[in-house]
Amino acid sequence: MPLLSSMYLRLRLRNMYQGTKSNSQRFVSKSTTQSSESKVNGVSSEGITSADNVQKPQRYTKMRTKTAALGGKNLVEHVYHILEQVKWGPAAEAALDNLNCTLGVYHGNQILKRLQDHTVARGFFYWLKRQPGFKHDEHSYTTMVGILGRARQFNAINSLLDEMVEDGSFPNVVTYNRMIHSYGRANYLDEALNVFYQMQEAGCEPDRVTYCTLIDIHAKAGFLDVALNMYRRMQEAGLSPDTFTYSVIINCLGKAGHLDTSYQLFSEMIAQGCTPNLVTYNIMIALQAKARNYPCALRLYRDMQTAGFEPDKVTYSIVMEVLGHCGYLEEAEGMFTEMKQRNWVPDEPVYGLLVDLWGKAGEVDKARGWYQAMIQAGVRPNVPTCNSLLSAFLRVHRFSDAYDVLQSMPSLGLNPSLQTYTLLLSCCTDTQYLSNMGVCCELMAISGHPAHAFLKSMPAAGPDGQNVREHANSFLDLMHSEDRESKRGLVDAVVDFLHKTGLKEEASSVWEVAAQKNVYPDVVREKSSLYWLINLHVMSDGTAITALARTLAWFRRQILMSGAVPMRIDIVTGWGRRSRVTGSSLVRQSVKEMLNIFEFPFYTESGNTGCFVGCGESLNTWLLHPYVERMHLL
DNA sequence: ATAGGGTTAG
């Protein structure tokens, strides 16, 4: 095994069993102590007389330490394995009582740290607290705060803190940091900041971890200004960033779109003598890769190796993706091989990536090969991977292979998702003559997704379209917990489908409901007073036409109702969702045609041919034409 | 006396 991999494993093991190697003797288990003594020393404990005791005090102490440490380790393992398998309840409690031994706070905390389930952890924590002579300290309270925080049990944390103080222990900087982290991760940023101020009032100085956590959570929530402000305050407090902090900030800046600044900071850290670690390099590579600066990403990858770091699983995954997106698919496969040679066990997403890459490259048989390799390796495919393969077959019209994939999903325990349905539906409208329609409809029926029932039971639009709106409304309610991207994908496919099959009124009603339900939050925006943006660039062409028609009609109604006349409207089409060739956009083309037919007074600004601008008196006059209300029927 | 917290991908 290569050096770094085995080091990694050792580290993992050390973390897993952290503490069990330490020489604690706080608790004594009568039964285990005795058996350990006889095993380890080769003499029964009865053989040790009080005379030995007096004569050889040193040896005795040493021996006791050793045996107690072994007993402690065993007991920690033993108790942990009991608790790992149970739900908290009378049975678990009885099992602990039956152990009939005393756990000290140190070992109690070692066990607590490893418990994942917060109900078990809590039960154990209070069981410990009830043991005669037991007293929790700031460490065990802090551990419990962390566990509750991970489970977002904020009320429980607050009562625990009260108890802690009553019990005579006080929160320290680690306790506060864990609270800040917990609140931040649950997106309660105000509460996180509150803790930050409270700790200082309580006389606890924030440390580097405090600032680092605050920077991270604020940047992730999109408050880069607050994050950078915290960075400044950290430096003002005399805390210089370490490798960890630099990595966090570099990641934050990069993710917030300040790629150059993040790179500058990377250079700065090196200039400051702060050595980037593997994670820092992984972050840098991923940031450049996401920005499609592939040569830069690959250069960083080489720098990383020059600096003496062997790639880890994360590195391999990122670099494989970069190579794949550059079109170097064989090289990506080479990475996979290297990764395996270095004893990293490929997981589902890595196989999934290769399936997806080959599928997108149109090499469906390669894609299927990786899919089969995954199954042979005993890795169960997930729904997105099936979707990748399915999509690959659909794109090259291999419908019987697509059918096989779809058919196999339930037997793998996988339910077709909203995305599965979306790509089947998109396939219906993919060709000019809708020639895929029949076979795709069959596949859609097989998927058994609720979206199919929704589409099949779509009523013909009544005079005001209210029936369609209600129908769409209840379907979107059903899809409530799906994330917005997925909902947007499906609505896009549905509206496009309805539009292209001539059901324009229905398409419009579905669009309106989706817009009302905030599925498209960024479509209409007032950039500044009376200056509006209509952003169509994430839509397929049918949806873009429908959305534009209904939005312009909305402006007309606004004028008639309130007299508020927009001074300028920018219609942004971008490159369009379906366009695969830079510069040619179906959305742009369709939108332009529509605007021309209705004689919308637009111009394009130099350098941005994807943006149609209407403004001034001509726009106002145009918006008042009655046909604006019926454009969507074209 | 021991220990405890913060970062990266899909």
Side-chain angles (χ1 to χ4, degrees):
Chain A
M1 186 188 292
L3 185 64
L4 201 94
S5 307
S6 66
M7 261 175 62
Y8 177 80
L9 279 180
R10 278 208 304 279
L11 276 172
R12 283 285 296 272
L13 286 172
R14 195 164 77 204
N15 286 338
M16 260 187 195
Y17 296 104
Q18 205 170 30
T20 53
K21 283 184 176 174
S22 54
N23 56 340
S24 174
Q25 63 264 50
R26 263 304 240 296
F27 83 82
V28 177
S29 156
K30 278 167 197 155
S31 53
T32 50
T33 304
Q34 198 154 350
S35 63
S36 319
E37 266 179 8
S38 21
K39 257 190 200 160
V40 171
N41 301 303
V43 281
S44 73
S45 50
E46 291 96 310
I48 302 169
T49 62
S50 56
D52 289 334
N53 223 344
V54 173
Q55 283 165 355
K56 303 171 182 172
Q58 252 192 328
R59 181 176 169 255
Y60 178 76
T61 312
K62 243 183 165 173
M63 195 174 74
R64 265 197 59 92
T65 307
K66 201 171 178 186
T67 45
L70 277 168
K73 181 177 166 181
N74 289 339
L75 189 63
V76 166
E77 287 303 314
H78 188 66
V79 175
Y80 172 69
H81 283 121
I82 291 173
L83 290 173
E84 175 187 50
Q85 290 159 19
V86 297
K87 285 190 182 336
W88 186 258
E93 209 161 326
L96 289 177
D97 289 333
N98 281 339
L99 285 173
N100 208 14
C101 62
T102 319
L103 265 173
V105 65
Y106 176 82
H107 283 124
N109 192 24
Q110 297 306 313
I111 296 165
L112 201 56
K113 266 161 46 186
R114 289 166 61 183
L115 296 174
Q116 297 295 314
D117 182 329
H118 74 274
T119 57
V120 175
R122 214 154 146 186
F124 178 60
F125 182 87
Y126 286 108
W127 177 84
L128 280 175
K129 204 176 172 181
R130 285 195 300 275
Q131 300 307 298
F134 187 92
K135 190 171 170 345
H136 279 299
D137 62 8
E138 58 184 54
H139 292 282
S140 52
Y141 272 109
T142 300
T143 303
M144 199 59 223
V145 166
I147 293 170
L148 291 173
R150 215 170 38 211
R152 305 187 173 192
Q153 305 290 311
F154 297 109
N155 291 331
I157 289 182
N158 285 323
S159 6
L160 188 71
L161 288 175
D162 291 341
E163 276 178 52
M164 180 177 184
V165 175
E166 272 171 39
D167 219 5
S169 295
F170 292 92
N172 59 25
V173 67
V174 179
T175 324
Y176 287 118
N177 287 347
R178 295 195 98 170
M179 287 178 65
I180 291 173
H181 185 237
S182 308
Y183 275 129
R185 276 304 156 90
N187 213 18
Y188 292 115
L189 297 182
D190 289 343
E191 281 77 357
L193 274 181
N194 255 332
V195 175
F196 174 66
Y197 293 117
Q198 273 170 24
M199 69 189 280
Q200 291 172 83
E201 275 168 33
C204 181
E205 276 305 306
D207 65 5
R208 197 182 268 140
V209 176
T210 318
Y211 286 106
C212 189
T213 308
L214 284 164
I215 291 167
D216 188 49
I217 62 178
H218 279 92
K220 284 204 171 104
F223 299 106
L224 191 68
D225 48 342
V226 183
L228 292 178
N229 189 31
M230 280 295 164
Y231 180 47
R232 192 178 50 73
R233 288 173 78 158
M234 178 182 104
Q235 288 167 310
E236 280 169 9
L239 299 165
S240 58
D242 60 359
T243 298
F244 208 112
T245 318
Y246 268 122
S247 304
V248 168
I249 300 170
I250 287 169
N251 184 43
C252 292
L253 285 168
K255 291 273 161 63
H258 303 270
L259 203 64
D260 295 342
T261 322
S262 79
Y263 204 102
Q264 279 165 24
L265 212 63
F266 179 68
S267 311
E268 180 193 303
M269 88 182 264
I270 294 168
Q272 295 284 321
C274 212
T275 320
N277 62 20
L278 182 57
V279 175
T280 322
Y281 277 109
N282 283 344
I283 289 171
M284 286 299 297
I285 295 167
L287 285 176
Q288 297 297 329
K290 204 143 251 167
R292 297 177 179 266
N293 299 335
Y294 298 130
C296 182
L298 291 175
R299 201 183 61 233
L300 281 159
Y301 178 60
R302 283 193 297 270
D303 291 350
M304 181 189 97
Q305 287 167 301
T306 311
F309 293 105
E310 296 266 352
D312 71 352
K313 210 171 171 173
V314 178
T315 325
Y316 279 118
S317 174
I318 297 165
V319 175
M320 279 172 68
E321 199 175 339
V322 174
L323 289 169
H325 288 161
C326 290
Y328 300 123
L329 275 80
E330 271 94 5
E331 285 80 354
E333 284 184 338
M335 279 286 178
F336 180 89
T337 311
E338 185 184 321
M339 175 179 158
K340 264 177 74 168
Q341 277 165 359
R342 295 193 178 167
N343 286 328
W344 297 101
V345 179
D347 57 7
E348 204 289 333
V350 174
Y351 280 108
L353 175 65
L354 286 164
V355 173
D356 195 64
L357 288 173
W358 284 113
K360 290 220 167 87
E363 301 251 15
V364 273
D365 293 311
K366 280 277 201 177
R368 180 159 57 187
W370 279 105
Y371 181 83
Q372 283 160 348
M374 166 167 52
I375 291 178
Q376 266 160 27
V379 177
R380 195 174 67 113
N382 63 15
V383 177
T385 301
C386 290
N387 288 346
S388 295
L389 188 60
L390 184 61
S391 164
F393 283 133
L394 291 174
R395 206 173 302 124
V396 295
H397 295 198
R398 276 171 56 172
F399 295 111
S400 106
D401 288 318
Y403 173 88
D404 290 341
V405 175
L406 200 57
Q407 197 73 296
S408 73
M409 287 176 73
S411 57
L412 291 163
L414 305 172
N415 290 323
S417 64
L418 198 54
Q419 287 90 333
T420 315
Y421 192 78
T422 301
L423 60 94
L424 291 172
L425 184 56
S426 305
C427 181
C428 281
T429 48
D430 230 13
T431 55
Q432 206 181 344
Y433 305 106
L434 306 180
S435 56
N436 299 340
M437 190 74 79
V439 63
C440 281
C441 282
E442 264 177 61
L443 293 175
M444 277 148 58
I446 293 171
S447 82
H449 196 277
H452 194 57
F454 158 70
L455 213 57
K456 259 176 55 183
S457 56
M458 174 76 65
D464 56 357
Q466 187 55 29
N467 55 344
V468 174
R469 281 198 291 273
E470 275 163 21
H471 188 65
N473 232 318
S474 52
F475 174 68
L476 284 176
D477 285 343
L478 191 67
M479 295 293 110
H480 174 84
S481 53
E482 296 277 352
D483 64 86
R484 185 148 62 201
E485 278 290 299
S486 316
K487 279 193 269 199
R488 205 184 62 195
L490 180 82
V491 169
D492 185 83
V494 169
V495 174
D496 194 46
F497 174 84
L498 292 172
H499 178 87
K500 285 182 178 151
T501 49
L503 302 168
K504 317 243 162 159
E505 194 69 60
E506 288 78 0
S508 295
S509 298
V510 172
W511 155 259
E512 280 170 25
V513 171
Q516 242 170 33
K517 287 207 176 277
N518 208 28
V519 174
Y520 287 91
D522 306 317
V523 170
V524 191
R525 187 163 68 83
E526 191 169 17
K527 193 176 176 185
S528 58
S529 178
L530 301 177
Y531 175 6
W532 292 81
L533 288 184
I534 303 176
N535 194 340
L536 308 172
H537 87 274
V538 292
M539 301 175 192
S540 54
D541 54 333
T543 309
I545 293 292
T546 308
L548 178 60
R550 295 321 290 158
T551 307
L552 290 172
W554 176 81
F555 276 115
R556 181 172 186 273
R557 268 175 274 145
Q558 291 302 113
I559 296 174
L560 295 177
M561 271 162 47
S562 66
V565 183
M567 275 170 39
R568 171 172 168 155
I569 296 177
D570 287 7
I571 300 163
V572 183
T573 64
W575 297 126
R577 186 177 186 198
R578 297 283 177 79
S579 68
R580 294 201 187 104
V581 187
T582 310
S584 86
S585 156
L586 255 184
V587 172
R588 180 174 154 270
Q589 196 184 316
S590 314
V591 165
K592 192 175 178 184
E593 267 170 35
M594 181 189 215
L595 294 176
N596 278 329
I597 289 171
F598 288 95
E599 297 178 319
F600 181 86
F602 70 86
Y603 61 93
T604 53
E605 289 178 328
S606 63
N608 192 356
T609 53
C611 177
F612 305 107
V613 182
C615 65
E617 195 48 45
S618 60
L619 174 67
N620 185 17
T621 316
W622 184 86
L623 280 170
L624 289 170
H625 289 305
Y627 59 71
V628 173
E629 192 57 60
R630 297 187 311 277
M631 273 171 83
H632 65 283
L633 296 176
L634 171 75

